[in-house]
Amino acid sequence: MKKHFLWGLSFFALACSTKTETKVEAPQLSGNPIFEGWYADPEGVVFGDEYWVYPTFSAKYKEQLHFDAFSSKDLVTWEKHANILDTAAIQWARQAMWAPAAIEKDGKYYLFFSANDIQTPERSSYDPNNDINHFGGIGIAVADNPGGPFKDYLGEPLLSEFYNGAQPIDQFVFKDVDGTHYFFYGGWGHCNLGKLNADFTGFEPWEDGELFHEITPEGYVEGPFMFLRNGTYYLMWSEGGWTNESYKVAYAMSDSPVGPFERVGTILERDSIATGAGHNSVIQKPNSDEWYMVYHRRPIPNEDRDHRVTCIDVMEFNSDGTIKPIVMTFEGVAANPID
């Protein structure tokens, strides 16, 4: 009896020792914000097998004199590339460099940006005794690598004039399927559209001889961005005031990159997570229908005009192609390496 008891005990112990436990690990998440520091106006873009984000260094205008960039293989772990461009390289930029936008062409990387917060005499913000914002606009820098260092491409602004009432800021370059590089830009409630020439030194005129056509949709304030999905062109922009909690993102859909653009609705705005969510961009994982909204927002409580952080959340579509409202999170997104 004792022998059988011991044999049974041994069998039980063996069974317990050979049993394996399956541990389910929680997915890696980016968290929001996706990197430390005050950063705004982020442009997300894919170069090769890496995700890149180019944001504004969010500070007072006199301190906002350089750009950092961030890269990731999986959307979760981000590497900082410090000081990829500053006013030492852009001699004409004297204050307030912001809203970078990057694109690759023929093996070179071009970084478009706004500088100097250029004003016009008829506006109350124009100071005749301080010429720091009498000249400026949209510049362009170039590098051999997406992490720079970038250098001034033209030695002067690409665009410094005012057309259709649009302040020359907040540019975005969209490459269409036919190779045309469309140039969206504009502040002060006006959005203009032009076409960059082949070497990015200027603009090709439209058929009517004009360099820029105004395409301003209802509610537009600033920050245009375009992407293409399933043959539909989506134009996004920011509404409200960038210095406060009213900032938000709206969009339009069109069969053409030149419009017309009729406002569909708001898809990103304040909630219990954060306020002042806006000036966004969109990242598509290559060869997939997986999309992400990259944007800045103001933490709650917000203690300063320039306390803005860069975040990422999933962007999804309804069956008719319209965009579902973005759900802001503290968790961010799961790891998603580019195949």
Side-chain angles (χ1 to χ4, degrees), residues 26-41:
Q28 285 185 292
L29 297 173
S30 66
N32 275 326
I34 57 176
F35 38 75
E36 294 183 356
W38 303 122
Y39 291 98
D41 315 328

Side-chain angles (χ1 to χ4, degrees), residues 2-305:
K2 184 176 180 181
K3 183 177 181 181
H4 288 293
F5 174 79
L6 291 175
W7 179 87
L9 199 63
S10 299
F11 180 82
F12 177 75
L14 181 64
C16 289
S17 65
T18 57
K19 182 179 180 181
T20 58
E21 293 185 5
T22 302
K23 293 184 178 180
V24 179
E25 294 186 2
Q28 285 185 292
L29 297 173
S30 66
N32 275 326
I34 57 176
F35 38 75
E36 294 183 356
W38 303 122
Y39 291 98
D41 315 328
E43 166 145 334
V45 61
V46 172
F47 291 135
D49 63 351
E50 290 186 316
Y51 301 98
W52 284 79
V53 171
Y54 296 85
T56 296
F57 173 67
S58 188
K60 299 294 186 290
Y61 278 1
K62 63 181 180 181
E63 302 169 4
Q64 201 168 285
L65 303 177
H66 77 283
F67 292 118
D68 300 323
F70 299 83
S71 64
S72 176
K73 292 283 190 180
D74 60 5
L75 294 177
V76 169
T77 303
W78 292 89
E79 177 184 355
K80 181 178 179 178
H81 305 264
N83 205 43
I84 63 169
L85 181 69
D86 60 24
T87 52
I90 309 296
Q91 298 282 315
W92 57 269
R94 299 170 61 189
Q95 70 162 3
M97 297 175 66
W98 80 97
I103 193 168
E104 184 273 335
K105 184 177 185 294
D106 300 330
K108 297 288 186 179
Y109 297 86
Y110 295 88
L111 189 70
F112 297 80
F113 58 92
S114 308
N116 289 3
D117 194 27
I118 184 172
Q119 303 290 310
T120 55
E122 62 270 17
R123 290 183 69 90
S124 60
S125 51
Y126 183 88
D127 183 355
N129 300 314
N130 180 5
D131 68 353
I132 198 168
N133 59 17
H134 296 184
F135 176 75
I138 296 172
I140 179 172
V142 64
D144 294 325
N145 300 288
F150 286 83
K151 61 182 180 180
D152 198 343
Y153 184 55
L154 300 175
E156 62 184 1
L158 171 69
L159 178 61
S160 59
E161 303 298 319
F162 286 77
Y163 294 87
N164 307 316
Q167 186 188 30
I169 65 167
D170 287 7
Q171 68 299 313
F172 174 69
V173 178
F174 172 75
K175 183 181 179 181
D176 200 8
V177 291
D178 65 357
T180 302
H181 287 88
Y182 289 100
F183 189 85
F184 297 84
Y185 80 93
W188 297 352
H190 297 275
C191 185
N192 283 342
L193 175 60
K195 293 183 291 184
L196 282 163
N197 61 18
D199 58 5
F200 288 2
T201 58
F203 301 91
E204 296 181 359
W206 296 98
E207 292 76 6
D208 59 6
E210 298 292 329
L211 286 181
F212 299 101
H213 286 166
E214 182 168 5
I215 58 164
T216 307
E218 176 191 357
Y220 175 93
V221 173
E222 60 192 17
F225 183 88
M226 172 168 280
F227 69 93
L228 176 65
R229 177 182 181 268
N230 295 342
T232 297
Y233 295 87
Y234 294 78
L235 178 66
M236 295 175 157
W237 63 88
S238 293
E239 301 178 349
W242 75 268
T243 62
N244 58 57
E245 63 183 22
S246 67
Y247 217 41
K248 56 188 176 183
V249 173
Y251 78 106
M253 301 165 64
S254 178
D255 294 330
S256 167
V258 301
F261 298 106
E262 294 187 8
R263 188 182 190 277
V264 176
T266 301
I267 52 170
L268 178 67
E269 58 187 324
R270 62 168 296 177
D271 64 12
S272 61
I273 294 283
T275 68
H279 203 124
N280 74 292
S281 59
V282 170
I283 293 178
Q284 177 192 15
K285 181 182 178 180
N287 304 312
S288 80
D289 197 31
E290 298 175 74
W291 300 80
Y292 302 92
M293 173 83 79
V294 186
Y295 62 96
H296 76 240
R297 68 193 193 197
R298 298 180 179 278
I300 298 175
N302 187 261
E303 300 177 353
D304 187 86
R305 183 197 75 164

Side-chain angles (χ1 to χ4, degrees), residues 316-329:
E316 297 177 317
F317 299 83
N318 297 305
S319 59
D320 62 357
T322 55
I323 303 172
K324 296 181 180 180
I326 304 300
V327 178
M328 290 196 287
T329 69

